[in-house]
Amino acid sequence: MTVRITRRNFVRTAGAVAAMAAAPAVVRAQAERKSIKVGWAISKTGPFTGGANASQIPNYRLWVDDVNKAGGINMGGKKLPIEVVEYDDRSQSEELVRAVDRLVSQDKVDFLLPPWGTGMNMAVAPAFHRGNFPMIAPSFITDRMPELVKRWDNIFSLLQPATPYGEAIVGVLKDLRTAGKIGNKVAVVNVTDQFGLELSKAARAALAKEKFEIVYDAGYPIATQDLTPIIAAAQQKNPDVFLAFSYPPDTFALTDAARVRGFNPKVFYAGVGTALAIYPAKFGDAIEGVMGPGGWNPHSQAITDYTARHKALTGTLPDHWVSALCYSGLQALQQSIEKVGKVDRPAIIKVLNSTTFDTITGPLTFKNHIMTGSWLVGQWQGGVFHGVAPNQEGVKPVIAKPVWKA
């Protein structure tokens, strides 16, 4: 029998042959894989170093150490160790974008881990999406998240959008005012980048709704060295409450200036940076009662064990907010990879969005790509930055007292 070879038949046959040839190659590639390559570019120098070095870099390294000591990530019945490629973005978004491009195009990483900070995450979100890299962000706070996840369905946030943080601290203030523990006057300051602008905007709206009086309102550029004038101007207004939406260097500078000048509002709220372990190390018992975004409930065996491993590997304690969430997000990533059984990033993204994961902070679920159940307000009480809002398991009652005084 004679078979007529048409162009259509030829293309169809060639495609089938190619598919048959490719399938074993894919299987072979998975079988021959010796490691899983994970890369990150993050701030090791520059103004974002404090946050990155405290909350993300140690947890990236701890997760890799824990996984490799356990034999690796189980992929299709075979445990594969993690191989790491990392770069310093120098706290510059342009450098970060170049480094992420290098990780993808030259280093051929299987997975990317996010940078530190809202603006930096925003800068590389398009690159993560182009490569279908799951982006489980530990330090990405923006009210644009519901809009962003419609465009970039690979993003998952371990923190809430900006508005819940602003509303939560104002809710705490409202309760304190109702109890007669504070008055109505509030000073608001913020760093003038995306994080500070969004959170202060949310707080102002919530303050206006609850009829608080903003007696001082100021912004300052990132990397401002001397924040004493900000504290002095706020102090002149004699507010009951001082709210600062600040990055770690600013949080420390504002705290130091307030102590030196004897600025003693009944509520002193600053952050991010308040939850860092180096905050009490620098200021000691004087920080009793200081509030900020975040918080945690340390009373579980999983957190106790995690803290011990963190200290043993890094020589430092984890912060009391983002650190444990960062590690939990990495556990979710690992469990998603193991469930899929191969480096299939789109499939892993689907698992992340539809599964509850077992982590050191308890069951972790993403609802509309945002982790549920995270702390919004924390307060230093007895050497721990306890979660004081929202009202959930482990919550502590708020204490109100003039800060820097016994």
Side-chain angles (χ1 to χ4, degrees):
M1 181 176 71
T2 302
V3 178
R4 184 183 174 200
I5 303 296
T6 66
R7 176 175 176 78
R8 180 180 296 175
N9 287 336
F10 175 79
V11 171
R12 184 184 300 148
T13 304
V17 171
M20 291 172 65
V26 171
V27 173
R28 262 199 321 274
Q30 294 288 347
E32 293 169 0
R33 178 184 289 275
K34 302 297 183 184
S35 65
I36 297 172
K37 189 179 287 189
V38 176
W40 61 79
I42 201 164
S43 303
K44 299 180 183 179
T45 56
F48 299 155
T49 305
N53 274 337
S55 302
Q56 286 180 225
I57 295 173
N59 287 287
Y60 287 177
R61 293 177 177 165
L62 177 61
W63 175 66
V64 171
D65 188 68
D66 285 346
V67 168
N68 286 347
K69 281 179 178 175
I73 293 178
N74 191 336
M75 188 175 291
K78 179 181 179 182
K79 284 194 171 185
L80 299 175
I82 296 174
E83 176 186 351
V84 171
V85 184
E86 59 180 309
Y87 296 109
D88 179 9
D89 64 32
R90 299 189 295 174
S91 300
Q92 299 173 15
S93 59
E94 298 86 354
E95 183 65 26
L96 170 64
V97 170
R98 285 193 291 268
V100 168
D101 179 67
R102 189 159 61 246
L103 286 165
V104 175
S105 61
Q106 296 180 24
D107 299 310
K108 308 293 184 184
V109 297
D110 298 306
F111 297 98
L112 288 169
L113 301 186
W116 187 89
T118 298
M120 300 292 268
N121 275 274
M122 193 73 80
V124 291
F128 272 70
H129 185 255
R130 280 195 300 273
N132 280 313
F133 289 97
M135 185 177 182
I136 307 174
S139 53
F140 194 5
I141 300 177
T142 176
D143 276 337
R144 294 182 61 195
M145 187 59 71
E147 162 204 341
L148 294 177
V149 298
K150 291 179 182 177
R151 187 193 319 169
W152 301 322
D153 63 355
N154 61 309
I155 297 178
F156 299 86
S157 179
L158 295 163
L159 304 180
Q160 293 291 305
T163 292
Y165 288 98
E167 291 177 343
I169 181 57
V170 173
V172 169
L173 299 180
K174 180 183 176 182
D175 290 344
L176 291 173
R177 183 180 62 183
T178 299
K181 295 181 179 179
I182 65 171
N184 212 44
K185 296 181 179 180
V186 182
V188 180
V189 306
N190 63 276
V191 60
T192 54
D193 87 331
Q194 186 168 353
F195 161 81
L197 291 170
E198 285 204 42
L199 267 78
S200 60
K201 179 182 177 181
R204 289 186 195 97
L207 288 166
K209 181 179 178 182
E210 298 300 339
K211 305 283 193 295
F212 280 94
E213 179 186 1
I214 299 178
V215 296
Y216 179 74
D217 194 346
Y220 59 88
I222 194 168
T224 299
Q225 296 297 312
D226 184 9
L227 291 169
T228 301
I230 293 280
I231 290 295
Q235 188 174 16
Q236 288 179 355
K237 300 297 183 179
N238 194 30
D240 300 280
V241 177
F242 177 79
L243 302 180
F245 300 96
S246 49
Y247 276 142
D250 327 337
T251 299
F252 279 72
L254 290 165
T255 302
D256 203 32
R259 291 186 67 210
V260 169
R261 291 189 57 85
F263 176 39
N264 290 295
K266 294 183 177 67
V267 172
F268 187 94
Y269 172 105
V272 295
T274 323
L276 302 184
I278 54 175
Y279 193 74
K282 179 173 176 61
F283 298 113
D285 294 340
I287 64 171
E288 183 76 4
V290 169
M291 296 188 204
W296 75 341
N297 174 17
H299 302 301
S300 77
Q301 190 59 50
I303 290 293
T304 299
D305 294 343
Y306 155 76
T307 301
R309 295 198 312 277
H310 190 290
K311 178 71 181 295
L313 182 72
T314 68
T316 62
L317 292 170
D319 74 36
H320 290 196
W321 178 27
V322 174
S323 284
L325 296 180
C326 178
Y327 190 91
S328 294
L330 295 167
Q331 289 182 299
L333 175 61
Q334 178 182 348
Q335 290 168 37
S336 298
I337 296 169
E338 293 181 336
K339 186 170 183 177
V340 172
K342 57 184 176 180
V343 179
D344 182 343
R345 293 192 290 266
I348 289 165
I349 290 168
K350 289 181 180 178
V351 170
L352 282 166
N353 207 31
S354 61
T355 305
T356 296
F357 303 96
D358 182 19
T359 75
I360 59 168
T361 53
L364 187 159
T365 302
F366 293 106
K367 183 178 181 180
N368 297 325
H369 294 252
I370 298 170
M371 178 184 166
T372 61
S374 59
W375 294 104
L376 299 175
V377 183
Q379 183 178 47
W380 282 103
Q381 299 181 14
V384 176
F385 194 62
H386 285 288
V388 295
N391 187 11
Q392 59 188 12
E393 184 180 354
V395 69
K396 287 281 188 177
V398 174
I399 59 174
K401 64 181 241 353
V403 293
W404 326 133
K405 289 183 178 179

